[in-house]
Amino acid sequence: MTRAPAELRLVADRAAKALAAAGVPSAGDGVAVAVSGGADSLALLHALRALAGRRGWRLAVLTVDHGLRPGSAADAAFVADHAKALGLPARVRTLAPADLSQHRQAGPEGAARAARYGALWPAADELGCRWLATGHTLDDQAETVLLQLLRGAGPDGLAGMAVRGGRLLRPLLGVRRAETRACCTAIGLEWREDPTNAGDGPLRNRVRQRLLPLLEELRPGATRALARTAALAADERDWLDRLVAETLAATLAAGVAGGMEGAAEGAGDSQAPPHPPWATLPDGAPTTRGAGTARLDAGPAPLDVGPAGLNAQALAALPVALARRVVRAAARQAGRPVPDAAATDRILGLPAD
């Protein structure tokens, strides 16, 4: 048997390590690979194909024709033909204008992304695949960190993309874009170039074509350093998530206790909240803000801060950074849209910028 080229083995090895750290997929699981025809997704497909046999994974190929540019149908046909040549089941999904227009509030790029995943997930289910894998690379991660910085994101935004997010897998976050191209070249595979990626329209394109090359010129290794920032922020977020869950439970308990006491005793100050799990956090974050009640009308029903929900006094006692996380976690737990930064600060009674 011919040994796989070193370039393919490099990509496959990094994908294997990323998935092993995430603990998925399991033997027998189906993995639908989202393939656009570009070098990144084709390298992902061949890397997973190199890994699947020994691990008992079932692979399938999905591709989406957005119908937004000439040649997109030919790209989808190219992917379907390549999947057939590899003996893999494939599905092609073609988006209609209505699929995009229902997400128009997210902007052209956001609408295309939302519509794409709206087509990919049902197709993955149709093929009996538990997982959907995409070819996002380390370069994509660095671009995401820069975009989040430009938007004024906090630590969670700087964490960028995760290898595993629910059923979505991104095995190539440790692989450079140049390495996926080298992989395709080594196995004799020509990839398709999306001409819109070379345009000067979306901000991501300008970050990719101008900002990252400039940063690499000023500081060689900048792309890997930005991806490292994402990994560090993700570690911090994972640790904080456990603390936030404990704190949310305490503030909700305090809110219920305060409401019951008010009903039983009438008007008067509620008891102080129980000794909070955040008391051992280091000091330093500002905590002075309003301690009244607030509501965020961000969904079918408002998110309450007060005796019936989050305890406002307990929230006011938290460091600001933790309080913000608790409010967002409460929204998620209640099944409501997660408030943005400005809305979160309004709930907490913090002054606007």
Side-chain angles (χ1 to χ4, degrees), residues 156 241 244 248 303 324-339:
D156 285 356
D241 281 347
V244 169
L248 174 59
L303 174 65
R324 287 185 176 120
R325 289 176 177 272
V326 168
V327 167
R328 292 195 293 270
R332 282 190 291 268
Q333 183 169 300
R336 290 165 174 73
V338 178

PDB file of all heavy atoms in Angstrom, residues 156 241 244 248 303 324-339:
ATOM      1  N   ASP A 156     -15.082  36.055  25.858  1.00  0.00           N
ATOM      2  CA  ASP A 156     -15.758  34.972  25.151  1.00  0.00           C
ATOM      3  C   ASP A 156     -15.638  35.138  23.647  1.00  0.00           C
ATOM      4  O   ASP A 156     -15.461  34.157  22.913  1.00  0.00           O
ATOM      5  CB  ASP A 156     -17.230  34.906  25.554  1.00  0.00           C
ATOM      6  CG  ASP A 156     -17.413  34.315  26.941  1.00  0.00           C
ATOM      7  OD1 ASP A 156     -16.409  33.900  27.554  1.00  0.00           O
ATOM      8  OD2 ASP A 156     -18.564  34.283  27.426  1.00  0.00           O
ATOM      9  N   ASP A 241     -17.236  29.086  33.184  1.00  0.00           N
ATOM     10  CA  ASP A 241     -18.578  28.542  32.996  1.00  0.00           C
ATOM     11  C   ASP A 241     -19.059  27.798  34.234  1.00  0.00           C
ATOM     12  O   ASP A 241     -20.239  27.884  34.613  1.00  0.00           O
ATOM     13  CB  ASP A 241     -18.608  27.603  31.783  1.00  0.00           C
ATOM     14  CG  ASP A 241     -18.671  28.361  30.466  1.00  0.00           C
ATOM     15  OD1 ASP A 241     -18.930  29.582  30.494  1.00  0.00           O
ATOM     16  OD2 ASP A 241     -18.450  27.732  29.412  1.00  0.00           O
ATOM     17  N   VAL A 244     -19.856  30.425  36.857  1.00  0.00           N
ATOM     18  CA  VAL A 244     -21.087  31.138  36.501  1.00  0.00           C
ATOM     19  C   VAL A 244     -22.311  30.287  36.831  1.00  0.00           C
ATOM     20  O   VAL A 244     -23.311  30.793  37.350  1.00  0.00           O
ATOM     21  CB  VAL A 244     -21.070  31.524  35.013  1.00  0.00           C
ATOM     22  CG1 VAL A 244     -22.440  32.013  34.552  1.00  0.00           C
ATOM     23  CG2 VAL A 244     -20.027  32.607  34.761  1.00  0.00           C
ATOM     24  N   LEU A 248     -25.129  31.614  39.234  1.00  0.00           N
ATOM     25  CA  LEU A 248     -26.499  31.755  38.759  1.00  0.00           C
ATOM     26  C   LEU A 248     -27.465  31.019  39.667  1.00  0.00           C
ATOM     27  O   LEU A 248     -28.524  31.544  40.028  1.00  0.00           O
ATOM     28  CB  LEU A 248     -26.605  31.228  37.325  1.00  0.00           C
ATOM     29  CG  LEU A 248     -28.018  31.186  36.726  1.00  0.00           C
ATOM     30  CD1 LEU A 248     -28.650  32.574  36.719  1.00  0.00           C
ATOM     31  CD2 LEU A 248     -27.980  30.594  35.326  1.00  0.00           C
ATOM     32  N   LEU A 303     -36.708  38.923  30.471  1.00  0.00           N
ATOM     33  CA  LEU A 303     -35.834  38.331  31.484  1.00  0.00           C
ATOM     34  C   LEU A 303     -35.926  39.205  32.713  1.00  0.00           C
ATOM     35  O   LEU A 303     -35.626  40.394  32.669  1.00  0.00           O
ATOM     36  CB  LEU A 303     -34.399  38.284  30.975  1.00  0.00           C
ATOM     37  CG  LEU A 303     -33.337  37.815  31.963  1.00  0.00           C
ATOM     38  CD1 LEU A 303     -33.582  36.362  32.326  1.00  0.00           C
ATOM     39  CD2 LEU A 303     -31.946  37.983  31.367  1.00  0.00           C
ATOM     40  N   ARG A 324     -22.096  40.161  34.473  1.00  0.00           N
ATOM     41  CA  ARG A 324     -22.470  40.120  33.056  1.00  0.00           C
ATOM     42  C   ARG A 324     -22.661  38.682  32.588  1.00  0.00           C
ATOM     43  O   ARG A 324     -23.614  38.366  31.870  1.00  0.00           O
ATOM     44  CB  ARG A 324     -21.383  40.798  32.217  1.00  0.00           C
ATOM     45  CG  ARG A 324     -21.340  42.322  32.343  1.00  0.00           C
ATOM     46  CD  ARG A 324     -20.318  42.894  31.372  1.00  0.00           C
ATOM     47  NE  ARG A 324     -20.314  44.353  31.398  1.00  0.00           N
ATOM     48  CZ  ARG A 324     -19.268  45.100  31.705  1.00  0.00           C
ATOM     49  NH1 ARG A 324     -18.113  44.508  32.044  1.00  0.00           N
ATOM     50  NH2 ARG A 324     -19.342  46.417  31.683  1.00  0.00           N
ATOM     51  N   ARG A 325     -21.759  37.811  32.982  1.00  0.00           N
ATOM     52  CA  ARG A 325     -21.864  36.415  32.571  1.00  0.00           C
ATOM     53  C   ARG A 325     -23.099  35.748  33.168  1.00  0.00           C
ATOM     54  O   ARG A 325     -23.754  34.922  32.525  1.00  0.00           O
ATOM     55  CB  ARG A 325     -20.602  35.651  32.977  1.00  0.00           C
ATOM     56  CG  ARG A 325     -19.377  36.016  32.156  1.00  0.00           C
ATOM     57  CD  ARG A 325     -18.131  35.295  32.672  1.00  0.00           C
ATOM     58  NE  ARG A 325     -16.979  35.591  31.855  1.00  0.00           N
ATOM     59  CZ  ARG A 325     -16.625  34.914  30.762  1.00  0.00           C
ATOM     60  NH1 ARG A 325     -17.354  33.890  30.374  1.00  0.00           N
ATOM     61  NH2 ARG A 325     -15.562  35.260  30.071  1.00  0.00           N
ATOM     62  N   VAL A 326     -23.419  36.094  34.397  1.00  0.00           N
ATOM     63  CA  VAL A 326     -24.585  35.508  35.042  1.00  0.00           C
ATOM     64  C   VAL A 326     -25.860  35.919  34.321  1.00  0.00           C
ATOM     65  O   VAL A 326     -26.759  35.101  34.092  1.00  0.00           O
ATOM     66  CB  VAL A 326     -24.633  35.915  36.531  1.00  0.00           C
ATOM     67  CG1 VAL A 326     -25.987  35.569  37.149  1.00  0.00           C
ATOM     68  CG2 VAL A 326     -23.515  35.225  37.305  1.00  0.00           C
ATOM     69  N   VAL A 327     -25.961  37.180  33.935  1.00  0.00           N
ATOM     70  CA  VAL A 327     -27.145  37.651  33.215  1.00  0.00           C
ATOM     71  C   VAL A 327     -27.289  36.900  31.889  1.00  0.00           C
ATOM     72  O   VAL A 327     -28.384  36.443  31.529  1.00  0.00           O
ATOM     73  CB  VAL A 327     -27.064  39.175  32.982  1.00  0.00           C
ATOM     74  CG1 VAL A 327     -28.121  39.628  31.976  1.00  0.00           C
ATOM     75  CG2 VAL A 327     -27.249  39.915  34.304  1.00  0.00           C
ATOM     76  N   ARG A 328     -26.192  36.743  31.167  1.00  0.00           N
ATOM     77  CA  ARG A 328     -26.275  36.036  29.879  1.00  0.00           C
ATOM     78  C   ARG A 328     -26.610  34.555  30.088  1.00  0.00           C
ATOM     79  O   ARG A 328     -27.370  33.975  29.316  1.00  0.00           O
ATOM     80  CB  ARG A 328     -24.965  36.197  29.114  1.00  0.00           C
ATOM     81  CG  ARG A 328     -24.712  37.629  28.648  1.00  0.00           C
ATOM     82  CD  ARG A 328     -23.624  37.697  27.603  1.00  0.00           C
ATOM     83  NE  ARG A 328     -22.322  37.335  28.132  1.00  0.00           N
ATOM     84  CZ  ARG A 328     -21.458  38.190  28.660  1.00  0.00           C
ATOM     85  NH1 ARG A 328     -21.771  39.477  28.738  1.00  0.00           N
ATOM     86  NH2 ARG A 328     -20.286  37.789  29.106  1.00  0.00           N
ATOM     87  N   ALA A 329     -26.040  33.973  31.135  1.00  0.00           N
ATOM     88  CA  ALA A 329     -26.348  32.570  31.427  1.00  0.00           C
ATOM     89  C   ALA A 329     -27.816  32.403  31.815  1.00  0.00           C
ATOM     90  O   ALA A 329     -28.452  31.408  31.450  1.00  0.00           O
ATOM     91  CB  ALA A 329     -25.447  32.053  32.550  1.00  0.00           C
ATOM     92  N   ALA A 330     -28.367  33.382  32.526  1.00  0.00           N
ATOM     93  CA  ALA A 330     -29.779  33.320  32.904  1.00  0.00           C
ATOM     94  C   ALA A 330     -30.668  33.366  31.667  1.00  0.00           C
ATOM     95  O   ALA A 330     -31.685  32.659  31.591  1.00  0.00           O
ATOM     96  CB  ALA A 330     -30.116  34.476  33.841  1.00  0.00           C
ATOM     97  N   ALA A 331     -30.292  34.193  30.700  1.00  0.00           N
ATOM     98  CA  ALA A 331     -31.065  34.262  29.459  1.00  0.00           C
ATOM     99  C   ALA A 331     -31.039  32.928  28.724  1.00  0.00           C
ATOM    100  O   ALA A 331     -32.074  32.446  28.252  1.00  0.00           O
ATOM    101  CB  ALA A 331     -30.524  35.375  28.573  1.00  0.00           C
ATOM    102  N   ARG A 332     -29.853  32.321  28.625  1.00  0.00           N
ATOM    103  CA  ARG A 332     -29.746  31.024  27.956  1.00  0.00           C
ATOM    104  C   ARG A 332     -30.574  29.974  28.675  1.00  0.00           C
ATOM    105  O   ARG A 332     -31.274  29.176  28.049  1.00  0.00           O
ATOM    106  CB  ARG A 332     -28.281  30.574  27.881  1.00  0.00           C
ATOM    107  CG  ARG A 332     -27.469  31.270  26.797  1.00  0.00           C
ATOM    108  CD  ARG A 332     -26.112  30.606  26.614  1.00  0.00           C
ATOM    109  NE  ARG A 332     -25.255  30.825  27.776  1.00  0.00           N
ATOM    110  CZ  ARG A 332     -24.401  31.834  27.897  1.00  0.00           C
ATOM    111  NH1 ARG A 332     -24.290  32.723  26.914  1.00  0.00           N
ATOM    112  NH2 ARG A 332     -23.652  31.963  28.963  1.00  0.00           N
ATOM    113  N   GLN A 333     -30.498  29.967  30.011  1.00  0.00           N
ATOM    114  CA  GLN A 333     -31.230  28.968  30.792  1.00  0.00           C
ATOM    115  C   GLN A 333     -32.732  29.143  30.634  1.00  0.00           C
ATOM    116  O   GLN A 333     -33.488  28.167  30.651  1.00  0.00           O
ATOM    117  CB  GLN A 333     -30.837  29.075  32.265  1.00  0.00           C
ATOM    118  CG  GLN A 333     -31.497  28.029  33.156  1.00  0.00           C
ATOM    119  CD  GLN A 333     -30.878  28.005  34.545  1.00  0.00           C
ATOM    120  OE1 GLN A 333     -29.691  27.759  34.703  1.00  0.00           O
ATOM    121  NE2 GLN A 333     -31.673  28.282  35.561  1.00  0.00           N
ATOM    122  N   ALA A 334     -33.175  30.392  30.443  1.00  0.00           N
ATOM    123  CA  ALA A 334     -34.598  30.666  30.288  1.00  0.00           C
ATOM    124  C   ALA A 334     -35.070  30.474  28.854  1.00  0.00           C
ATOM    125  O   ALA A 334     -36.252  30.648  28.558  1.00  0.00           O
ATOM    126  CB  ALA A 334     -34.898  32.096  30.733  1.00  0.00           C
ATOM    127  N   GLY A 335     -34.135  30.134  27.957  1.00  0.00           N
ATOM    128  CA  GLY A 335     -34.502  29.929  26.565  1.00  0.00           C
ATOM    129  C   GLY A 335     -34.771  31.205  25.814  1.00  0.00           C
ATOM    130  O   GLY A 335     -35.507  31.213  24.817  1.00  0.00           O
ATOM    131  N   ARG A 336     -34.163  32.312  26.255  1.00  0.00           N
ATOM    132  CA  ARG A 336     -34.357  33.600  25.610  1.00  0.00           C
ATOM    133  C   ARG A 336     -33.092  34.009  24.871  1.00  0.00           C
ATOM    134  O   ARG A 336     -32.015  33.492  25.161  1.00  0.00           O
ATOM    135  CB  ARG A 336     -34.734  34.665  26.637  1.00  0.00           C
ATOM    136  CG  ARG A 336     -36.143  34.453  27.216  1.00  0.00           C
ATOM    137  CD  ARG A 336     -36.355  35.264  28.471  1.00  0.00           C
ATOM    138  NE  ARG A 336     -37.716  35.196  28.948  1.00  0.00           N
ATOM    139  CZ  ARG A 336     -38.269  34.145  29.532  1.00  0.00           C
ATOM    140  NH1 ARG A 336     -37.560  33.046  29.702  1.00  0.00           N
ATOM    141  NH2 ARG A 336     -39.524  34.170  29.941  1.00  0.00           N
ATOM    142  N   PRO A 337     -33.214  34.938  23.928  1.00  0.00           N
ATOM    143  CA  PRO A 337     -32.006  35.411  23.235  1.00  0.00           C
ATOM    144  C   PRO A 337     -31.007  35.985  24.225  1.00  0.00           C
ATOM    145  O   PRO A 337     -31.384  36.679  25.173  1.00  0.00           O
ATOM    146  CB  PRO A 337     -32.552  36.506  22.294  1.00  0.00           C
ATOM    147  CG  PRO A 337     -33.991  36.161  22.099  1.00  0.00           C
ATOM    148  CD  PRO A 337     -34.448  35.563  23.396  1.00  0.00           C
ATOM    149  N   VAL A 338     -29.742  35.683  24.015  1.00  0.00           N
ATOM    150  CA  VAL A 338     -28.701  36.195  24.910  1.00  0.00           C
ATOM    151  C   VAL A 338     -28.525  37.691  24.643  1.00  0.00           C
ATOM    152  O   VAL A 338     -28.291  38.093  23.500  1.00  0.00           O
ATOM    153  CB  VAL A 338     -27.376  35.449  24.689  1.00  0.00           C
ATOM    154  CG1 VAL A 338     -26.282  36.022  25.583  1.00  0.00           C
ATOM    155  CG2 VAL A 338     -27.566  33.964  24.977  1.00  0.00           C
ATOM    156  N   PRO A 339     -28.647  38.534  25.663  1.00  0.00           N
ATOM    157  CA  PRO A 339     -28.523  39.975  25.449  1.00  0.00           C
ATOM    158  C   PRO A 339     -27.123  40.363  25.013  1.00  0.00           C
ATOM    159  O   PRO A 339     -26.136  39.737  25.412  1.00  0.00           O
ATOM    160  CB  PRO A 339     -28.873  40.571  26.818  1.00  0.00           C
ATOM    161  CG  PRO A 339     -28.577  39.479  27.800  1.00  0.00           C
ATOM    162  CD  PRO A 339     -28.903  38.201  27.082  1.00  0.00           C
TER     163      PRO A 339
END
